[in-house]
Amino acid sequence: MRNPYLIGQTVYLRPVERDDADLVAPWVNDPEVRWYLAGRPPINQVSELDYIDRMSRSEHDLVLLIVRVEDDRRIGMQGLHQIDFRNRHACFGIALGDKEAWGQGYGTEATRLLLQHAFETMNLNRVWLQVYEYNERAMRSYLKLGFKKEGVLRQENFRKGKYWDRFGRQTQTKIKTEITIRN
């Protein structure tokens, strides 16, 4: 394990390093991966390095790489953004760039680890996210972890010649297992 920050059974989370940019940029540019992400323009290693540098200095973002425990394979990134320490909430985002890791439960475990950290260590009260209606795999994971739908941004996203709804601001109110919100 290289510089682990949060450790689970099958994945661990670590800070994103500059030498990860060469792996992350192709993930974001991959049309299949990008289909699930909020629009980002084509990026190169220079723009990814800039993003990594900005996130590492930010007091309102926590971005971590998702790494498989068994072989140290980097499979994705996730983070808490727009962290509001006064009102104790943040926006959650995740991207599994390694498509071989899709459907294996790694994203759910990584999300559980970060939510546990958000509630038990950072003392956040609420974690929210936005997810596209066609991202059924992610929605199943979020529901399993206790997220609740708060609203729908109707026809908010235009992709592949069609307008899609975005389920806006789902909120984390309870985790079924060990994570709960403190009021």
Side-chain angles (χ1 to χ4, degrees):
M1 278 190 253
R2 176 182 164 196
N3 197 17
Y5 184 66
L6 302 171
I7 303 170
Q9 296 289 320
T10 62
V11 297
Y12 71 92
L13 308 179
R14 70 163 174 85
V16 181
E17 304 290 346
R18 294 186 60 131
D19 63 354
D20 295 316
D22 65 335
L23 179 69
V24 174
W27 287 346
V28 175
N29 288 332
D30 182 312
E32 237 182 313
V33 175
R34 195 174 61 245
W35 169 247
Y36 299 106
L37 303 176
R40 280 185 73 182
I43 63 167
N44 58 28
Q45 193 169 353
V46 173
S47 58
E48 188 60 30
L49 284 168
D50 180 54
Y51 175 79
I52 291 169
D53 289 344
R54 278 186 291 113
M55 292 300 104
S56 68
R57 289 189 309 269
S58 174
E59 294 180 12
H60 299 283
D61 297 278
L62 172 63
V63 178
L64 299 168
L65 203 69
I66 304 167
V67 185
R68 271 196 326 215
V69 168
E70 70 180 84
D71 57 5
D72 241 23
R73 183 177 176 133
R74 300 167 294 174
I75 60 173
M77 288 175 56
Q78 70 176 357
L80 298 172
H81 302 280
Q82 303 171 34
I83 301 170
D84 182 335
F85 292 103
R86 180 171 183 215
N87 295 300
R88 298 178 26 231
H89 66 83
C91 174
F92 173 78
I94 185 171
L96 286 184
D98 182 343
K99 293 183 283 191
E100 292 178 18
W102 291 4
Q104 306 296 312
Y106 298 124
T108 300
E109 182 180 359
T111 302
R112 182 177 280 116
L113 283 171
L114 189 54
L115 290 174
Q116 184 173 3
H117 179 71
F119 294 119
E120 294 181 4
T121 303
M122 297 174 70
N123 195 29
L124 295 182
N125 182 58
R126 182 172 187 272
V127 176
W128 57 274
L129 60 85
Q130 295 181 343
V131 60
Y132 297 117
E133 68 177 304
Y134 50 77
N135 196 345
E136 295 173 10
R137 186 174 52 246
M139 286 199 280
R140 280 192 305 273
S141 177
Y142 298 143
L143 291 173
K144 187 185 324 181
L145 291 167
F147 280 88
K148 308 292 182 211
K149 187 176 5 174
E150 281 189 346
V152 176
L153 300 171
R154 301 202 186 286
Q155 298 186 354
E156 190 271 341
N157 183 272
F158 184 76
R159 301 252 171 120
K160 297 185 180 179
K162 180 179 174 186
Y163 288 96
W164 299 89
D165 293 347
R166 185 187 290 194
F167 297 110
R169 295 198 137 195
Q170 293 190 0
T171 182
Q172 172 60 36
T173 54
K174 286 184 182 174
I175 296 289
K176 292 179 183 173
T177 56
E178 65 274 354
I179 305 169
T180 56
I181 285 187
R182 292 164 185 77
N183 291 322

